[in-house]
Amino acid sequence: MNVGTVFAALYAAHLVGDHHVQSDLDAQAKGRPGAEGRAACTRHVVSYTATAVVALTATALAAGERPRLGRVLAGLALSAGSHWVIDRRAPLKKFAELTGHAGFYQLGAPRPGKDDNPSLGTGAYALDQSLHVGFLFAAALIIAGGER
């Protein structure tokens, strides 16, 4: 399968896995410190990765191609591992601070002591999604790569 086809499958799976398959409980808890947050994030990444497996399998069947298993596993490992780290929230916030995006990260967030702006359109969400998509592209390069 070519890079564009693999990326399209991974991106579609990302949107479904990150927003529809993920449970509300895990979405709320995955960034919490400690065992509760780690467990919620792990459950989310397992279901997210399973969604990617379904999408890649359907794509391979439709294309009549068989990607190399080692490359698929490596690409999915990169996607899952990076997704887990990003979704733990503290690493994303730290990365935003280190790269000069702390203000953007806070954009749209409720003010301290007030819940006056609950929104999906926050800077933190935009940074989260952009990093996920970047890693999905890297995963697609891994999966589609190989001898020509």
Short mmCIF file of all heavy atoms in Angstrom, two decimals, residues 46-116:
data_model
loop_
_atom_site.label_atom_id
_atom_site.label_comp_id
_atom_site.label_asym_id
_atom_site.label_seq_id
_atom_site.Cartn_x
_atom_site.Cartn_y
_atom_site.Cartn_z
N VAL A 46 -5.32 1.26 23.72
CA VAL A 46 -5.62 -0.09 23.23
C VAL A 46 -6.81 -0.05 22.27
O VAL A 46 -6.75 -0.61 21.16
CB VAL A 46 -5.86 -1.07 24.40
CG1 VAL A 46 -6.48 -2.38 23.91
CG2 VAL A 46 -4.56 -1.35 25.13
N SER A 47 -7.89 0.63 22.65
CA SER A 47 -9.06 0.70 21.75
C SER A 47 -8.74 1.53 20.51
O SER A 47 -9.20 1.22 19.40
CB SER A 47 -10.28 1.25 22.50
OG SER A 47 -10.12 2.60 22.85
N TYR A 48 -7.95 2.58 20.67
CA TYR A 48 -7.53 3.42 19.56
C TYR A 48 -6.71 2.61 18.55
O TYR A 48 -6.94 2.68 17.34
CB TYR A 48 -6.70 4.57 20.13
CG TYR A 48 -6.03 5.48 19.13
CD1 TYR A 48 -6.70 6.57 18.61
CD2 TYR A 48 -4.72 5.26 18.72
CE1 TYR A 48 -6.10 7.43 17.71
CE2 TYR A 48 -4.11 6.10 17.82
CZ TYR A 48 -4.80 7.18 17.31
OH TYR A 48 -4.19 8.02 16.42
N THR A 49 -5.78 1.80 19.04
CA THR A 49 -4.94 0.99 18.18
C THR A 49 -5.75 -0.12 17.52
O THR A 49 -5.53 -0.44 16.34
CB THR A 49 -3.75 0.43 18.98
OG1 THR A 49 -3.04 1.53 19.56
CG2 THR A 49 -2.80 -0.36 18.09
N ALA A 50 -6.70 -0.69 18.24
CA ALA A 50 -7.58 -1.70 17.64
C ALA A 50 -8.37 -1.10 16.48
O ALA A 50 -8.57 -1.75 15.44
CB ALA A 50 -8.53 -2.28 18.69
N THR A 51 -8.79 0.14 16.63
CA THR A 51 -9.50 0.84 15.55
C THR A 51 -8.58 0.99 14.34
O THR A 51 -9.01 0.81 13.19
CB THR A 51 -10.01 2.21 16.04
OG1 THR A 51 -10.80 2.02 17.22
CG2 THR A 51 -10.82 2.92 14.98
N ALA A 52 -7.32 1.30 14.58
CA ALA A 52 -6.35 1.43 13.48
C ALA A 52 -6.12 0.08 12.79
O ALA A 52 -6.00 0.02 11.56
CB ALA A 52 -5.02 1.99 14.00
N VAL A 53 -6.08 -1.00 13.56
CA VAL A 53 -5.91 -2.33 12.98
C VAL A 53 -7.08 -2.66 12.05
O VAL A 53 -6.88 -3.16 10.94
CB VAL A 53 -5.75 -3.40 14.08
CG1 VAL A 53 -5.85 -4.81 13.52
CG2 VAL A 53 -4.43 -3.22 14.81
N VAL A 54 -8.29 -2.36 12.49
CA VAL A 54 -9.47 -2.60 11.66
C VAL A 54 -9.38 -1.78 10.37
O VAL A 54 -9.62 -2.30 9.27
CB VAL A 54 -10.77 -2.28 12.44
CG1 VAL A 54 -11.99 -2.27 11.52
CG2 VAL A 54 -10.96 -3.27 13.58
N ALA A 55 -9.02 -0.52 10.48
CA ALA A 55 -8.92 0.34 9.30
C ALA A 55 -7.84 -0.15 8.34
O ALA A 55 -8.06 -0.18 7.11
CB ALA A 55 -8.64 1.78 9.72
N LEU A 56 -6.68 -0.52 8.87
CA LEU A 56 -5.60 -1.00 8.00
C LEU A 56 -5.96 -2.33 7.35
O LEU A 56 -5.65 -2.56 6.17
CB LEU A 56 -4.30 -1.13 8.80
CG LEU A 56 -3.60 0.17 9.16
CD1 LEU A 56 -2.44 -0.10 10.12
CD2 LEU A 56 -3.11 0.89 7.91
N THR A 57 -6.63 -3.19 8.09
CA THR A 57 -7.05 -4.48 7.53
C THR A 57 -8.05 -4.27 6.40
O THR A 57 -7.92 -4.87 5.32
CB THR A 57 -7.64 -5.38 8.63
OG1 THR A 57 -6.65 -5.60 9.63
CG2 THR A 57 -8.10 -6.72 8.07
N ALA A 58 -9.04 -3.43 6.63
CA ALA A 58 -10.04 -3.14 5.59
C ALA A 58 -9.38 -2.52 4.36
O ALA A 58 -9.72 -2.86 3.22
CB ALA A 58 -11.12 -2.21 6.15
N THR A 59 -8.43 -1.64 4.58
CA THR A 59 -7.73 -0.98 3.48
C THR A 59 -6.91 -1.99 2.69
O THR A 59 -6.91 -1.97 1.45
CB THR A 59 -6.85 0.16 4.02
OG1 THR A 59 -7.68 1.08 4.73
CG2 THR A 59 -6.13 0.88 2.91
N ALA A 60 -6.20 -2.86 3.38
CA ALA A 60 -5.40 -3.87 2.70
C ALA A 60 -6.28 -4.81 1.88
O ALA A 60 -5.95 -5.16 0.74
CB ALA A 60 -4.57 -4.66 3.72
N LEU A 61 -7.41 -5.21 2.45
CA LEU A 61 -8.33 -6.09 1.71
C LEU A 61 -8.89 -5.38 0.48
O LEU A 61 -8.96 -5.97 -0.60
CB LEU A 61 -9.46 -6.55 2.63
CG LEU A 61 -9.06 -7.54 3.74
CD1 LEU A 61 -10.21 -7.75 4.71
CD2 LEU A 61 -8.59 -8.86 3.14
N ALA A 62 -9.29 -4.13 0.65
CA ALA A 62 -9.84 -3.38 -0.49
C ALA A 62 -8.80 -3.15 -1.58
O ALA A 62 -9.12 -3.17 -2.77
CB ALA A 62 -10.40 -2.04 0.00
N ALA A 63 -7.56 -2.95 -1.17
CA ALA A 63 -6.48 -2.70 -2.14
C ALA A 63 -5.91 -3.98 -2.72
O ALA A 63 -5.16 -3.95 -3.69
CB ALA A 63 -5.36 -1.89 -1.46
N GLY A 64 -6.25 -5.11 -2.10
CA GLY A 64 -5.70 -6.38 -2.56
C GLY A 64 -4.21 -6.49 -2.31
O GLY A 64 -3.49 -7.14 -3.03
N GLU A 65 -3.76 -5.82 -1.26
CA GLU A 65 -2.33 -5.82 -0.92
C GLU A 65 -2.12 -6.36 0.49
O GLU A 65 -3.04 -6.35 1.31
CB GLU A 65 -1.76 -4.41 -1.04
CG GLU A 65 -1.83 -3.87 -2.46
CD GLU A 65 -1.15 -2.54 -2.59
OE1 GLU A 65 -0.18 -2.27 -1.86
OE2 GLU A 65 -1.61 -1.74 -3.42
N ARG A 66 -0.90 -6.78 0.72
CA ARG A 66 -0.56 -7.33 2.02
C ARG A 66 0.69 -6.61 2.54
O ARG A 66 1.80 -6.93 2.13
CB ARG A 66 -0.30 -8.82 1.89
CG ARG A 66 -0.15 -9.52 3.18
CD ARG A 66 0.04 -11.01 2.94
NE ARG A 66 -0.27 -11.72 4.15
CZ ARG A 66 -0.40 -13.01 4.21
NH1 ARG A 66 -0.25 -13.73 3.12
NH2 ARG A 66 -0.66 -13.60 5.35
N PRO A 67 0.50 -5.63 3.43
CA PRO A 67 1.68 -4.93 3.97
C PRO A 67 2.51 -5.87 4.83
O PRO A 67 2.00 -6.87 5.36
CB PRO A 67 1.07 -3.79 4.79
CG PRO A 67 -0.31 -4.24 5.11
CD PRO A 67 -0.75 -5.15 4.00
N ARG A 68 3.79 -5.55 4.94
CA ARG A 68 4.69 -6.38 5.74
C ARG A 68 4.34 -6.24 7.22
O ARG A 68 4.22 -5.13 7.74
CB ARG A 68 6.13 -5.97 5.47
CG ARG A 68 6.53 -6.34 4.03
CD ARG A 68 7.89 -5.87 3.63
NE ARG A 68 8.91 -6.27 4.57
CZ ARG A 68 10.13 -5.75 4.60
NH1 ARG A 68 10.44 -4.79 3.76
NH2 ARG A 68 11.01 -6.16 5.47
N LEU A 69 4.14 -7.37 7.87
CA LEU A 69 3.70 -7.39 9.27
C LEU A 69 4.65 -6.63 10.18
O LEU A 69 4.20 -5.86 11.04
CB LEU A 69 3.54 -8.84 9.75
CG LEU A 69 3.07 -9.00 11.20
CD1 LEU A 69 1.71 -8.35 11.41
CD2 LEU A 69 3.05 -10.47 11.59
N GLY A 70 5.94 -6.78 10.00
CA GLY A 70 6.90 -6.08 10.84
C GLY A 70 6.76 -4.57 10.73
O GLY A 70 6.85 -3.84 11.72
N ARG A 71 6.53 -4.09 9.53
CA ARG A 71 6.35 -2.66 9.31
C ARG A 71 5.03 -2.17 9.92
O ARG A 71 4.97 -1.09 10.50
CB ARG A 71 6.39 -2.32 7.82
CG ARG A 71 7.79 -2.48 7.25
CD ARG A 71 7.85 -1.90 5.84
NE ARG A 71 9.24 -1.73 5.45
CZ ARG A 71 10.00 -0.70 5.80
NH1 ARG A 71 9.50 0.27 6.51
NH2 ARG A 71 11.26 -0.63 5.41
N VAL A 72 3.99 -2.98 9.80
CA VAL A 72 2.70 -2.61 10.41
C VAL A 72 2.86 -2.53 11.93
O VAL A 72 2.42 -1.56 12.56
CB VAL A 72 1.60 -3.61 10.02
CG1 VAL A 72 0.33 -3.36 10.83
CG2 VAL A 72 1.30 -3.53 8.52
N LEU A 73 3.50 -3.52 12.51
CA LEU A 73 3.69 -3.52 13.96
C LEU A 73 4.54 -2.34 14.42
O LEU A 73 4.23 -1.70 15.43
CB LEU A 73 4.30 -4.85 14.42
CG LEU A 73 3.42 -6.08 14.25
CD1 LEU A 73 4.19 -7.34 14.63
CD2 LEU A 73 2.13 -5.95 15.04
N ALA A 74 5.59 -2.03 13.67
CA ALA A 74 6.45 -0.89 14.03
C ALA A 74 5.68 0.43 13.92
O ALA A 74 5.77 1.29 14.80
CB ALA A 74 7.69 -0.87 13.14
N GLY A 75 4.93 0.59 12.85
CA GLY A 75 4.14 1.81 12.68
C GLY A 75 3.08 1.96 13.75
O GLY A 75 2.89 3.05 14.31
N LEU A 76 2.38 0.88 14.06
CA LEU A 76 1.36 0.92 15.11
C LEU A 76 1.99 1.16 16.48
O LEU A 76 1.39 1.84 17.32
CB LEU A 76 0.52 -0.35 15.10
CG LEU A 76 -0.43 -0.51 13.92
CD1 LEU A 76 -1.11 -1.88 13.96
CD2 LEU A 76 -1.45 0.61 13.87
N ALA A 77 3.17 0.63 16.70
CA ALA A 77 3.85 0.86 17.99
C ALA A 77 4.21 2.35 18.13
O ALA A 77 4.03 2.93 19.22
CB ALA A 77 5.11 0.00 18.09
N LEU A 78 4.69 2.96 17.05
CA LEU A 78 4.99 4.39 17.10
C LEU A 78 3.72 5.20 17.36
O LEU A 78 3.70 6.09 18.21
CB LEU A 78 5.64 4.85 15.79
CG LEU A 78 5.88 6.37 15.68
CD1 LEU A 78 6.88 6.84 16.74
CD2 LEU A 78 6.34 6.74 14.28
N SER A 79 2.66 4.87 16.65
CA SER A 79 1.40 5.58 16.83
C SER A 79 0.87 5.41 18.25
O SER A 79 0.49 6.39 18.90
CB SER A 79 0.36 5.06 15.82
OG SER A 79 -0.90 5.64 16.05
N ALA A 80 0.84 4.20 18.75
CA ALA A 80 0.31 3.93 20.09
C ALA A 80 1.17 4.57 21.17
O ALA A 80 0.64 5.22 22.10
CB ALA A 80 0.21 2.42 20.32
N GLY A 81 2.47 4.41 21.07
CA GLY A 81 3.36 4.97 22.10
C GLY A 81 3.30 6.49 22.14
O GLY A 81 3.20 7.09 23.22
N SER A 82 3.33 7.12 20.98
CA SER A 82 3.27 8.58 20.95
C SER A 82 1.90 9.07 21.42
O SER A 82 1.80 10.06 22.14
CB SER A 82 3.57 9.11 19.55
OG SER A 82 2.60 8.69 18.61
N HIS A 83 0.86 8.35 21.06
CA HIS A 83 -0.49 8.74 21.47
C HIS A 83 -0.61 8.70 23.00
O HIS A 83 -1.18 9.60 23.61
CB HIS A 83 -1.53 7.82 20.82
CG HIS A 83 -2.90 8.42 20.80
ND1 HIS A 83 -3.40 9.07 19.71
CD2 HIS A 83 -3.85 8.49 21.75
CE1 HIS A 83 -4.62 9.51 19.98
NE2 HIS A 83 -4.92 9.16 21.22
N TRP A 84 -0.07 7.65 23.61
CA TRP A 84 -0.13 7.51 25.07
C TRP A 84 0.58 8.68 25.75
O TRP A 84 0.05 9.30 26.68
CB TRP A 84 0.48 6.18 25.51
CG TRP A 84 0.16 5.81 26.92
CD1 TRP A 84 -0.90 5.08 27.35
CD2 TRP A 84 0.92 6.14 28.09
NE1 TRP A 84 -0.86 4.95 28.71
CE2 TRP A 84 0.25 5.59 29.20
CE3 TRP A 84 2.09 6.85 28.31
CZ2 TRP A 84 0.71 5.72 30.50
CZ3 TRP A 84 2.56 6.99 29.60
CH2 TRP A 84 1.87 6.43 30.69
N VAL A 85 1.78 9.00 25.28
CA VAL A 85 2.54 10.10 25.90
C VAL A 85 1.81 11.44 25.74
O VAL A 85 1.66 12.19 26.70
CB VAL A 85 3.97 10.18 25.31
CG1 VAL A 85 4.69 11.44 25.76
CG2 VAL A 85 4.77 8.93 25.69
N ILE A 86 1.33 11.72 24.54
CA ILE A 86 0.64 12.99 24.29
C ILE A 86 -0.63 13.09 25.15
O ILE A 86 -0.91 14.13 25.73
CB ILE A 86 0.30 13.12 22.79
CG1 ILE A 86 1.58 13.28 21.97
CG2 ILE A 86 -0.64 14.31 22.55
CD1 ILE A 86 1.39 13.05 20.48
N ASP A 87 -1.38 11.99 25.24
CA ASP A 87 -2.65 12.02 25.96
C ASP A 87 -2.50 12.04 27.48
O ASP A 87 -3.49 12.27 28.18
CB ASP A 87 -3.53 10.84 25.54
CG ASP A 87 -4.32 11.15 24.28
OD1 ASP A 87 -3.99 12.14 23.60
OD2 ASP A 87 -5.27 10.42 23.99
N ARG A 88 -1.33 11.85 28.00
CA ARG A 88 -1.13 11.97 29.44
C ARG A 88 -1.15 13.44 29.86
O ARG A 88 -1.16 13.77 31.01
CB ARG A 88 0.17 11.28 29.88
CG ARG A 88 0.13 9.77 29.79
CD ARG A 88 -0.85 9.16 30.77
NE ARG A 88 -0.31 9.29 32.11
CZ ARG A 88 -1.00 9.64 33.18
NH1 ARG A 88 -2.29 9.86 33.09
NH2 ARG A 88 -0.41 9.76 34.35
N ARG A 89 -1.17 14.33 28.91
CA ARG A 89 -1.35 15.78 29.03
C ARG A 89 -0.14 16.52 29.59
O ARG A 89 0.26 17.53 29.03
CB ARG A 89 -2.62 16.11 29.82
CG ARG A 89 -3.85 15.60 29.09
CD ARG A 89 -5.12 16.27 29.54
NE ARG A 89 -6.25 15.74 28.79
CZ ARG A 89 -7.22 15.03 29.32
NH1 ARG A 89 -7.25 14.80 30.61
NH2 ARG A 89 -8.20 14.58 28.56
N ALA A 90 0.44 16.09 30.69
CA ALA A 90 1.59 16.80 31.25
C ALA A 90 2.75 16.87 30.25
O ALA A 90 3.36 17.94 30.11
CB ALA A 90 2.03 16.17 32.57
N PRO A 91 3.08 15.78 29.54
CA PRO A 91 4.17 15.89 28.55
C PRO A 91 3.84 16.88 27.42
O PRO A 91 4.72 17.61 26.97
CB PRO A 91 4.31 14.47 28.00
CG PRO A 91 3.77 13.60 29.09
CD PRO A 91 2.65 14.39 29.70
N LEU A 92 2.58 16.92 26.99
CA LEU A 92 2.19 17.86 25.94
C LEU A 92 2.34 19.29 26.43
O LEU A 92 2.86 20.15 25.72
CB LEU A 92 0.75 17.59 25.50
CG LEU A 92 0.19 18.56 24.45
CD1 LEU A 92 0.96 18.45 23.14
CD2 LEU A 92 -1.29 18.29 24.23
N LYS A 93 1.90 19.55 27.66
CA LYS A 93 2.03 20.90 28.22
C LYS A 93 3.50 21.30 28.32
O LYS A 93 3.88 22.41 27.98
CB LYS A 93 1.36 20.96 29.59
CG LYS A 93 1.37 22.36 30.17
CD LYS A 93 0.63 22.41 31.50
CE LYS A 93 0.62 23.84 32.01
NZ LYS A 93 0.02 23.95 33.33
N LYS A 94 4.34 20.39 28.78
CA LYS A 94 5.77 20.66 28.91
C LYS A 94 6.38 20.92 27.53
O LYS A 94 7.19 21.85 27.36
CB LYS A 94 6.47 19.48 29.60
CG LYS A 94 7.91 19.73 29.91
CD LYS A 94 8.03 20.84 30.92
CE LYS A 94 9.41 20.90 31.52
NZ LYS A 94 9.56 22.06 32.38
N PHE A 95 6.00 20.12 26.54
CA PHE A 95 6.50 20.31 25.18
C PHE A 95 6.08 21.68 24.64
O PHE A 95 6.88 22.39 24.01
CB PHE A 95 5.99 19.19 24.27
CG PHE A 95 6.52 19.26 22.86
CD1 PHE A 95 7.86 19.02 22.59
CD2 PHE A 95 5.67 19.56 21.80
CE1 PHE A 95 8.35 19.09 21.29
CE2 PHE A 95 6.15 19.63 20.50
CZ PHE A 95 7.49 19.39 20.25
N ALA A 96 4.83 22.07 24.91
CA ALA A 96 4.35 23.39 24.48
C ALA A 96 5.18 24.49 25.13
O ALA A 96 5.55 25.47 24.47
CB ALA A 96 2.87 23.55 24.83
N GLU A 97 5.48 24.35 26.40
CA GLU A 97 6.30 25.35 27.10
C GLU A 97 7.71 25.41 26.51
O GLU A 97 8.24 26.49 26.27
CB GLU A 97 6.35 25.02 28.59
CG GLU A 97 5.01 25.21 29.29
CD GLU A 97 4.96 24.58 30.68
OE1 GLU A 97 5.92 23.87 31.07
OE2 GLU A 97 3.94 24.78 31.36
N LEU A 98 8.31 24.24 26.27
CA LEU A 98 9.68 24.18 25.75
C LEU A 98 9.79 24.75 24.33
O LEU A 98 10.85 25.24 23.94
CB LEU A 98 10.19 22.74 25.77
CG LEU A 98 10.48 22.16 27.14
CD1 LEU A 98 10.78 20.67 27.03
CD2 LEU A 98 11.63 22.89 27.81
N THR A 99 8.71 24.65 23.56
CA THR A 99 8.76 25.12 22.18
C THR A 99 8.15 26.52 22.00
O THR A 99 7.93 26.97 20.88
CB THR A 99 8.04 24.12 21.24
OG1 THR A 99 6.69 23.97 21.68
CG2 THR A 99 8.76 22.78 21.22
N GLY A 100 7.90 27.20 23.12
CA GLY A 100 7.39 28.56 23.06
C GLY A 100 5.91 28.67 22.77
O GLY A 100 5.44 29.71 22.29
N HIS A 101 5.15 27.60 23.04
CA HIS A 101 3.72 27.59 22.75
C HIS A 101 2.85 27.53 24.00
O HIS A 101 1.69 27.13 23.93
CB HIS A 101 3.38 26.41 21.83
CG HIS A 101 4.02 26.51 20.50
ND1 HIS A 101 5.19 25.86 20.19
CD2 HIS A 101 3.67 27.21 19.39
CE1 HIS A 101 5.53 26.14 18.95
NE2 HIS A 101 4.63 26.97 18.44
N ALA A 102 3.38 27.96 25.14
CA ALA A 102 2.61 27.90 26.39
C ALA A 102 1.34 28.74 26.30
O ALA A 102 0.27 28.32 26.78
CB ALA A 102 3.46 28.34 27.57
N GLY A 103 1.43 29.91 25.71
CA GLY A 103 0.26 30.76 25.57
C GLY A 103 -0.78 30.13 24.66
O GLY A 103 -1.98 30.19 24.94
N PHE A 104 -0.33 29.54 23.57
CA PHE A 104 -1.26 28.87 22.67
C PHE A 104 -1.92 27.68 23.36
O PHE A 104 -3.11 27.43 23.19
CB PHE A 104 -0.53 28.42 21.40
CG PHE A 104 -1.44 27.84 20.35
CD1 PHE A 104 -2.23 28.67 19.57
CD2 PHE A 104 -1.52 26.49 20.15
CE1 PHE A 104 -3.08 28.14 18.61
CE2 PHE A 104 -2.35 25.95 19.19
CZ PHE A 104 -3.14 26.78 18.42
N TYR A 105 -1.14 26.94 24.15
CA TYR A 105 -1.67 25.80 24.89
C TYR A 105 -2.84 26.23 25.78
O TYR A 105 -3.84 25.52 25.90
CB TYR A 105 -0.56 25.16 25.74
CG TYR A 105 -1.00 23.95 26.51
CD1 TYR A 105 -0.90 22.67 25.95
CD2 TYR A 105 -1.51 24.05 27.80
CE1 TYR A 105 -1.31 21.54 26.65
CE2 TYR A 105 -1.92 22.94 28.51
CZ TYR A 105 -1.81 21.69 27.93
OH TYR A 105 -2.22 20.57 28.62
N GLN A 106 -2.74 27.39 26.40
CA GLN A 106 -3.77 27.88 27.32
C GLN A 106 -4.97 28.50 26.61
O GLN A 106 -6.01 28.74 27.24
CB GLN A 106 -3.16 28.91 28.28
CG GLN A 106 -2.15 28.32 29.24
CD GLN A 106 -2.77 27.25 30.15
OE1 GLN A 106 -3.91 27.34 30.56
NE2 GLN A 106 -2.00 26.22 30.43
N LEU A 107 -4.85 28.77 25.32
CA LEU A 107 -5.91 29.43 24.57
C LEU A 107 -7.23 28.67 24.70
O LEU A 107 -7.31 27.48 24.46
CB LEU A 107 -5.52 29.51 23.09
CG LEU A 107 -6.44 30.28 22.16
CD1 LEU A 107 -6.43 31.77 22.52
CD2 LEU A 107 -6.00 30.09 20.73
N GLY A 108 -8.25 29.38 25.13
CA GLY A 108 -9.59 28.79 25.24
C GLY A 108 -9.85 27.99 26.48
O GLY A 108 -10.96 27.51 26.70
N ALA A 109 -8.86 27.84 27.34
CA ALA A 109 -9.04 27.06 28.58
C ALA A 109 -9.84 27.88 29.59
O ALA A 109 -9.75 29.11 29.62
CB ALA A 109 -7.68 26.69 29.18
N PRO A 110 -10.63 27.21 30.42
CA PRO A 110 -11.35 27.94 31.47
C PRO A 110 -10.38 28.71 32.36
O PRO A 110 -9.27 28.24 32.63
CB PRO A 110 -12.06 26.84 32.25
CG PRO A 110 -12.17 25.71 31.30
CD PRO A 110 -10.94 25.79 30.43
N ARG A 111 -10.80 29.85 32.82
CA ARG A 111 -9.96 30.64 33.72
C ARG A 111 -9.89 29.96 35.08
O ARG A 111 -10.83 29.27 35.47
CB ARG A 111 -10.54 32.05 33.86
CG ARG A 111 -10.45 32.85 32.57
CD ARG A 111 -11.09 34.19 32.69
NE ARG A 111 -12.53 34.02 32.94
CZ ARG A 111 -13.36 35.03 33.18
NH1 ARG A 111 -12.92 36.26 33.22
NH2 ARG A 111 -14.64 34.80 33.38
N PRO A 112 -8.78 30.12 35.80
CA PRO A 112 -8.66 29.50 37.12
C PRO A 112 -9.84 29.86 38.02
O PRO A 112 -10.24 31.02 38.12
CB PRO A 112 -7.36 30.08 37.67
CG PRO A 112 -6.57 30.45 36.46
CD PRO A 112 -7.60 30.88 35.43
N GLY A 113 -10.42 28.83 38.64
CA GLY A 113 -11.54 29.04 39.54
C GLY A 113 -12.88 29.17 38.87
O GLY A 113 -13.90 29.32 39.53
N LYS A 114 -12.90 29.14 37.54
CA LYS A 114 -14.16 29.28 36.81
C LYS A 114 -14.23 28.22 35.72
O LYS A 114 -13.22 27.85 35.14
CB LYS A 114 -14.26 30.66 36.16
CG LYS A 114 -14.21 31.79 37.14
CD LYS A 114 -14.32 33.12 36.44
CE LYS A 114 -14.14 34.20 37.47
NZ LYS A 114 -15.05 35.29 37.34
N ASP A 115 -15.42 27.75 35.46
CA ASP A 115 -15.62 26.81 34.37
C ASP A 115 -16.41 27.54 33.29
O ASP A 115 -17.49 27.16 32.90
CB ASP A 115 -16.37 25.57 34.87
CG ASP A 115 -16.36 24.46 33.83
OD1 ASP A 115 -15.54 24.51 32.91
OD2 ASP A 115 -17.20 23.55 33.94
N ASP A 116 -15.83 28.66 32.82
CA ASP A 116 -16.58 29.55 31.93
C ASP A 116 -16.32 29.34 30.45
O ASP A 116 -16.87 30.05 29.62
CB ASP A 116 -16.30 31.00 32.30
CG ASP A 116 -14.83 31.40 32.15
OD1 ASP A 116 -13.99 30.52 31.93
OD2 ASP A 116 -14.54 32.59 32.28
#
